[in-house]
Amino acid sequence: MDFMSLPTIKTGLKNIEYMFGIVGIPVTEIAIAAQASGIKYIGMRNEQAASYAASAVGFLTARPGVCLVVSGPGLVNALAGMANANMNCWPLIVIGGSSNRNQETMGAFQEFPQVEACRLYSKFSVRPNSLEAIPAVIEKAVRTSIYGRPGACYIDIPGDFVNLTVKKNSAKYIGCCPAPPISMAEEMTISKAVSFILQSKKPLLIIGKGAAYSRAENSIRKLVDQCGLPFLPTPMGKGVVPDNHPYCVAAARSRALQYADVIVLLGARLNWILHYGLPPRFHPDVKVIQVDICAEELGNNVKPAAALLGDIKAVTEQLLDRFNRTLWKYPSDTDWWKDLWAKMQSNEATSKALSLQKQLPMNYYTVFHHVRELLPKDCILISEGANTMDIGRTMLPNYLPRHRLDAGTFGTMGVGLGFAIAAATVAKTHNPEQRVVCIEGDSAFGFSGMEVETICRHNLPIIIIIINNNGIYTGLDSETWKDILKLGEPSTYAPPVALLPDAHYEQIMSAFGGKGYFVRTPEELQAALKISLAEKLVPSLLNVMINPLSDRKKQDFHWLTRSNM
């Protein structure tokens, strides 16, 4: 019996639930076949947003989402999402159409060296050499995306493959790959790590998004509770242990990093987010116990006192087993705890004072104070934008793992709406009551604002909150903007950070059938958010105006401290 190429593609994608993309020549039929096979296809408005969405599915489900793109420019647009997935260590499959094989090097429509280009942004990049090989190639791509350190994979489908037919029994069918193998650390290294913790005067546990991805929350919570360890979550490690846990020292982040003498890294990397593990942000003699699934990551920037290679969940259980034999718990009356608690109280008091200010326009802290009072504890928070993301991370708590997504390791702006669409799509399937709240700076929203139409078309009950300061970092008020226009062309006189003052982004949502709110006061903010949370069937956008000069509270260090290397 003959059959087309499309069933070979969908067979290889067994157990893959979600596909995001933009169709066109030559991939439209692939999307149709995916839907026929039970895969949910979400048509997006830009390939970047589609690839961001598919990668977020990888983080949320530990199975890759698929991004389907057309050849040439379509694939190039998706490279941003592939790079972001690789840097964040999230599984992603990108399937790209390409020109017909017999037109290669002839200047075919949208011809581009796609396989070669994707090798820079992926773990695996391939064009199947025959129709029969497609199931095996896709199985390898899925397997490669989730085994070891997760990442992106690319599969190139020539246009002439799409409607080609072959004999059914000639296809190389391979069963769906099993779950990734679980590796454990050497017992001798576990003993070494535990001995350092037992001798520590100022211990600190840092929980990274690798811990969230590995589903290690139960084991890590036991480790924290049993050993009484202060812990600090990285942005997407928030919620692995709830932010309101008494041992969470996020409010004293700088103090904890600067003075800890033993640090246990659970699925976190000593990159820019953690200031490379170097002075002045870290103590020069700190002993680092590094737990990571990737051997090549061990020892980056700082030589670890103990390097535990293995799955985060499995290694945490090994540590727990060893501590069960000692019945040791770090005392709660140490000078280290007193110092951390004092710093937390001081920082929280400063933030509270800022959040209770009555002046209008509002500042960041006032907005987040009122948002925090209303958000459900189990909502998924998406956040991007400079101050919006950084202040939101400190003001909006997470209580559950994998319930915060943001700009991540690559510091990528424009991910917000793609991430929100992914989270809402997954929730619609597995937890229909789940709320997704996407909190964006006005600049960040501009990268992918047209995805509001995607949200409305798929009726995803996403709440978008734009913190609008009329600019990038800072903006101008409307009167100052008018004065600038009197001087001449904005391209000459307007600050490069300035955006159009008082832009009515909420009207974009209203134009597509959602609910839009223009917000200037705390009362308007609370009223709009209450209505949006109560309305679970219609997406909404709150355009929240703040003082264009609103900024973060004074920091102990510059955000990207220049280390003495």
Side-chain angles (χ1 to χ4, degrees), residues 342-402:
K343 187 62 174 176
M344 285 191 287
Q345 290 172 352
S346 172
N347 286 341
E348 288 168 353
T350 301
S351 295
K352 185 175 181 180
L354 288 167
S355 68
L356 295 179
Q357 288 182 358
K358 302 296 185 182
Q359 295 96 326
L360 295 178
M362 295 180 284
N363 64 42
Y364 286 103
Y365 294 86
T366 302
V367 172
F368 285 125
H369 169 74
H370 290 286
V371 169
R372 180 177 60 195
E373 289 187 335
L374 294 175
L375 287 185
K377 284 192 171 184
D378 66 343
C379 73
I380 296 179
L381 285 172
I382 318 293
S383 185
E384 63 171 334
N387 287 335
T388 297
M389 182 174 64
D390 293 339
I391 299 172
R393 183 179 68 246
T394 64
M395 293 286 292
L396 300 178
N398 287 94
Y399 304 97
L400 295 168
R402 299 170 296 281

Side-chain angles (χ1 to χ4, degrees), residues 39 158 190 283 347 359 410 481:
I39 294 174
I190 291 287
H283 193 280
N347 286 341
Q359 295 96 326
F410 210 22
W481 181 255

Side-chain angles (χ1 to χ4, degrees), residues 93-387:
I93 304 294
V94 175
I95 297 177
S98 62
S99 52
N100 292 356
R101 291 171 297 169
N102 64 358
Q103 297 171 349
E104 195 168 346
T105 75
M106 296 176 64
F109 175 67
Q110 296 183 333
E111 184 178 2
F112 187 71
Q114 297 179 181
V115 175
E116 293 85 350
C118 289
R119 286 197 177 114
L120 292 174
Y121 306 94
S122 64
K123 295 179 68 179
F124 176 62
S125 179
V126 65
R127 171 188 279 193
N129 58 18
S130 68
L131 201 61
E132 294 87 342
I134 287 178
V137 165
I138 291 181
E139 186 277 338
K140 182 172 182 178
V142 172
R143 176 163 39 88
T144 302
S145 75
I146 61 176
Y147 278 29
R149 171 174 279 179
C153 293
Y154 174 68
I155 302 167
D156 195 73
I157 304 296
D160 56 307
F161 272 18
V162 174
N163 291 310
L164 197 63
T165 61
V166 294
K167 294 287 186 181
K168 186 174 182 179
N169 58 9
S170 67
K172 300 175 183 177
Y173 287 106
I174 293 180
C176 185
C177 65
I182 302 299
S183 56
M184 300 172 68
E186 296 174 335
E187 284 297 331
M188 185 170 66
T189 314
I190 291 287
S191 298
K192 185 179 179 181
V194 169
S195 69
F196 282 127
I197 297 171
L198 293 176
Q199 296 168 31
S200 172
K201 303 297 183 184
K202 298 179 178 181
L204 178 67
L205 186 67
I206 298 180
I207 303 171
K209 71 173 176 289
Y213 180 85
S214 69
R215 276 59 182 168
E217 52 267 19
N218 292 336
S219 300
I220 293 175
R221 175 70 181 266
K222 288 179 184 176
L223 181 67
V224 169
D225 288 338
Q226 183 171 318
C227 297
L229 293 171
F231 74 90
L232 177 70
T234 65
M236 279 188 275
K238 284 164 61 70
V240 170
V241 181
D243 283 347
N244 63 349
H245 192 284
Y247 298 156
C248 179
V249 296
R253 182 180 188 272
S254 292
R255 183 65 56 91
L257 294 178
Q258 190 176 12
Y259 294 105
D261 62 359
V262 171
I263 289 177
V264 183
L265 282 177
L266 288 175
R269 290 175 278 177
L270 292 177
N271 53 22
W272 68 274
I273 293 177
L274 288 174
H275 320 288
Y276 316 106
L278 298 174
R281 298 299 293 262
F282 285 71
H283 193 280
D285 298 321
V286 65
K287 292 181 173 63
V288 175
I289 298 166
Q290 190 172 7
V291 185
D292 204 283
I293 198 171
C294 177
E296 290 79 3
E297 185 61 38
L298 301 173
N300 274 345
N301 298 322
V302 172
K303 183 178 180 180
L308 306 180
L309 177 63
D311 175 78
I312 307 299
K313 180 180 178 182
V315 173
T316 303
E317 289 173 352
Q318 287 180 278
L319 291 169
L320 267 172
D321 179 65
R322 192 58 59 96
F323 279 116
N324 284 336
R325 305 176 198 175
T326 65
L327 300 179
W328 173 84
K329 186 167 186 175
Y330 182 69
S332 60
D333 58 352
T334 62
D335 290 340
W336 179 229
W337 265 124
K338 292 174 184 176
D339 185 27
L340 292 173
W341 280 327
K343 187 62 174 176
M344 285 191 287
Q345 290 172 352
S346 172
N347 286 341
E348 288 168 353
T350 301
S351 295
K352 185 175 181 180
L354 288 167
S355 68
L356 295 179
Q357 288 182 358
K358 302 296 185 182
Q359 295 96 326
L360 295 178
M362 295 180 284
N363 64 42
Y364 286 103
Y365 294 86
T366 302
V367 172
F368 285 125
H369 169 74
H370 290 286
V371 169
R372 180 177 60 195
E373 289 187 335
L374 294 175
L375 287 185
K377 284 192 171 184
D378 66 343
C379 73
I380 296 179
L381 285 172
I382 318 293
S383 185
E384 63 171 334
N387 287 335

Side-chain angles (χ1 to χ4, degrees), residues 43 46 61 77 108 136 139 219 327 355 441 462 506 516 544 554:
N46 184 282
T61 69
N77 287 341
E139 186 277 338
S219 300
L327 300 179
S355 68
I462 295 168
E506 79 284 352
V544 183
K554 190 177 186 304

